[in-house]
Amino acid sequence: MTASRATWGHRGARFALVTLLAVGACGTLLVIGGRPTPAVSAIPAMPVPAVTDETKRNGPEALLARTMREINANQLDGALVEVDKIINAYPNFRLAHLIKGDILLARARPLTTIGNVIGVPSDEVEDLRDEARARIARYQQERPTARVPRYLVQLNDDQRHAFVVDTSKSTLYVFENEGGELRYVNDYYVSIGKNGIDKFREGDNKTPLGVYHVTRWLSPEQLASKYGKLSGLYGAGAFPIDYPNFWDRREGRNGHGIWLHGVPFDTYSRPPRSSNGCVALTNEDLKALSESVQIGLTPVVIANGVDWVTPEANTALRHELTRQLDGWRQDWESLNTEKYLRHYAADFSSGKGGLEKWSAHKRRVNARKEWIKLKLHKVSIVLYPGRDDLAVVTFDQDYSSSNYRKQMRKRQYWIKNRGAWRILHEGAA
């Protein structure tokens, strides 16, 4: 499986020995304009700040940004107060401990960069530099209060939330469905595959891009029963998603075990690229996210950069696809099998065969029908990230005919070719 592996797992003891080491920053952090922070002779002792509701509400990134502002203004006593707030609220936040080490080190020499010390593995320090960059960038970015992801064309009434992961910004966004209108709720820092994105094969340590759905919940107890001591890598639990989906398999992608999961309990978070392909959140954030998850219903879109649009921008596409879907339904009901089959792409696949086999089956079955009634409920439409011509359409289907009746949840992949939408895949959801 391609579940994540902890970067820091066995280094806790050594880590405690290097908390007083330099952890500067690049670009917007400790070094701004290329000017090192000068050394100071002493930093006054400060009382340990209490953990307040405001501290938790602001989160570590706001406090981290305050710390950096104080450092860049050479207000190291104020920086120490701010970083202590982070450590007191998040005791195992390693980045915060190392930044505090930088502040203390400033008693002896100027600060020039994060981790500018001897004896610390360069890859570990670079990981923390990456996390500092990602967290400050997240804090500075505008929240999408008036925009929505292009991909979420339509959610059905039962889908309370949708998740969109922006791998380029180490961020998972949560949107709430309020009567068909999407509302931004929250966002969380996440880690992805150590080798980046666009997963293609088993073991490549990459995170897939695409449209997925949460399939189940694995509690810490279930993980421990199955993986023993290794279960600690997943922290507070895991939500597997349905990678590889139809499109992945069609493109030749393989592998399995892509999850949304927590982190080892001995660390608050992990560097931006540190998993074996999964999307990892802090345990605190995973627990908060779990309140929004509906097994089998919650869509998870993983994209490399989110295409933000106004809510109205999706209206035309939503109408076009719902019209196409209803035309497919009407033509199936009409028992005009040839007209019905025109809705399918030439390279259609049902998972059990191509269009020729599908067409032969439908002609044979429909020839025995006197009538067909088809009702579609709870339709959701999600556009594939990076493409304007591929949509995942999921719905509940109530099929009845003169000699058969069946209810099921169905998923279709619609592709636009030469200006016309056609069904590329159809199967149970």
Side-chain angles (χ1 to χ4, degrees):
M1 65 183 295
T2 56
S4 305
R5 181 177 62 205
T7 300
W8 303 96
H10 303 292
R11 298 170 179 158
R14 182 174 65 182
F15 187 90
L17 298 177
V18 298
T19 53
L20 300 186
L21 300 178
V23 185
C26 305
T28 59
L29 305 184
L30 291 176
V31 182
I32 290 187
R35 300 189 303 274
T37 302
V40 294
S41 58
I43 297 176
M46 298 290 173
V48 176
V51 179
T52 64
D53 289 341
E54 181 184 6
T55 299
K56 282 289 188 179
R57 184 169 59 252
N58 289 336
E61 285 153 4
L63 297 173
L64 184 62
R66 290 182 191 174
T67 303
M68 295 306 176
R69 283 198 294 268
E70 292 292 308
I71 292 174
N72 287 318
N74 296 330
Q75 301 296 320
L76 299 189
D77 52 347
L80 192 60
V81 170
E82 295 299 331
V83 79
D84 275 338
K85 289 179 183 178
I86 306 175
I87 292 170
N88 201 26
Y90 310 96
N92 55 354
F93 192 5
R94 295 175 174 178
L95 176 59
H97 280 284
L98 291 176
I99 291 174
K100 181 175 181 178
D102 256 341
I103 298 170
L104 296 175
L105 191 63
R107 296 179 179 183
R109 65 184 185 189
L111 299 181
T112 58
T113 183
I114 289 181
N116 186 25
V117 293
I118 298 172
V120 180
S122 60
D123 58 339
E124 296 183 13
V125 174
E126 190 57 39
D127 281 345
L128 288 171
R129 288 174 179 159
D130 288 342
E131 183 173 353
R133 294 185 194 108
R135 285 187 174 278
I136 292 296
R138 272 180 37 77
Y139 175 73
Q140 293 175 334
Q141 71 187 24
E142 180 183 357
R143 267 45 188 179
T145 53
R147 297 171 298 158
V148 297
R150 166 78 167 151
Y151 327 113
L152 303 179
V153 179
Q154 176 174 300
L155 298 184
N156 71 52
D157 291 341
D158 286 352
Q159 291 174 300
R160 297 195 302 269
H161 296 90
F163 305 154
V164 176
V165 178
D166 186 343
T167 59
S168 70
K169 296 186 181 300
S170 302
T171 298
L172 184 153
Y173 296 94
V174 180
F175 284 85
E176 185 175 13
N177 179 18
E178 293 185 337
E181 300 295 326
L182 292 176
R183 180 179 68 86
Y184 162 78
V185 175
N186 209 339
D187 60 84
Y188 302 101
Y189 168 82
V190 298
S191 304
I192 63 167
K194 62 187 66 172
N195 289 331
I197 56 171
D198 208 16
K199 183 172 185 59
F200 194 81
R201 65 179 183 275
E202 177 82 19
D204 63 8
N205 295 327
K206 293 184 177 182
T207 297
L209 303 177
V211 176
Y212 304 100
H213 293 80
V214 174
T215 60
R216 55 185 172 140
W217 162 248
L218 295 173
S219 68
E221 294 75 20
Q222 289 172 308
L223 290 167
S225 176
K226 185 169 184 178
Y227 300 108
K229 292 182 179 179
L230 290 176
S231 65
L233 302 178
Y234 311 112
F239 290 103
I241 61 175
D242 57 345
Y243 174 88
N245 60 24
F246 158 76
W247 185 253
D248 294 317
R249 293 190 297 272
R250 183 183 179 90
E251 294 291 289
R253 303 177 187 276
N254 60 37
H256 67 285
I258 300 298
W259 300 350
L260 310 180
H261 65 70
V263 299
F265 288 107
D266 66 347
T267 187
Y268 174 68
S269 62
R270 293 172 59 177
R273 291 191 177 190
S274 59
S275 83
N276 284 4
C278 295
V279 175
L281 301 89
T282 71
N283 292 317
E284 181 179 277
D285 290 346
L286 184 73
K287 290 176 182 177
L289 189 73
S290 67
E291 298 178 4
S292 303
V293 175
Q294 295 168 281
I295 304 302
L297 285 178
T298 303
V300 181
V301 179
I302 307 178
N304 184 34
V306 176
D307 185 6
W308 299 104
V309 299
T310 62
E312 298 77 22
N314 277 337
T315 302
L317 180 59
R318 179 166 58 250
H319 289 168
E320 183 179 7
L321 282 167
T322 53
R323 185 175 66 251
Q324 292 291 332
L325 183 65
D326 193 56
W328 168 81
R329 179 194 64 80
Q330 292 182 41
D331 289 341
W332 193 0
E333 278 189 335
S334 74
L335 284 176
N336 185 336
T337 304
E338 300 311 310
K339 189 177 180 182
Y340 158 78
L341 289 172
R342 291 184 200 138
H343 291 277
Y344 292 85
D347 52 349
F348 167 83
S349 171
S350 67
K352 298 180 180 179
L355 182 59
E356 184 177 353
K357 185 176 181 180
W358 179 266
S359 299
H361 169 71
K362 289 299 180 179
R363 291 186 184 107
R364 185 171 59 253
V365 170
N366 287 355
R368 299 196 296 265
K369 306 291 183 184
E370 296 179 6
W371 55 266
I372 291 175
K373 295 295 183 183
L374 192 66
K375 295 180 181 179
L376 308 183
H377 311 278
K378 301 176 182 177
V379 178
S380 70
I381 303 171
V382 183
L383 199 64
Y384 226 78
R387 303 188 61 131
D388 289 331
D389 63 346
L390 184 63
V392 182
V393 181
T394 308
F395 52 89
D396 287 355
Q397 175 181 291
D398 186 351
Y399 173 94
S400 59
S401 69
S402 53
N403 57 6
Y404 185 70
R405 180 168 185 174
K406 184 177 182 179
Q407 294 178 328
M408 66 179 298
R409 179 171 296 161
K410 182 173 281 188
R411 182 160 296 139
Q412 296 176 333
Y413 285 69
W414 286 72
I415 193 163
K416 195 172 189 178
N417 186 12
R418 297 180 181 178
W421 286 95
R422 296 288 183 266
I423 301 168
L424 188 64
H425 171 76
E426 183 174 321

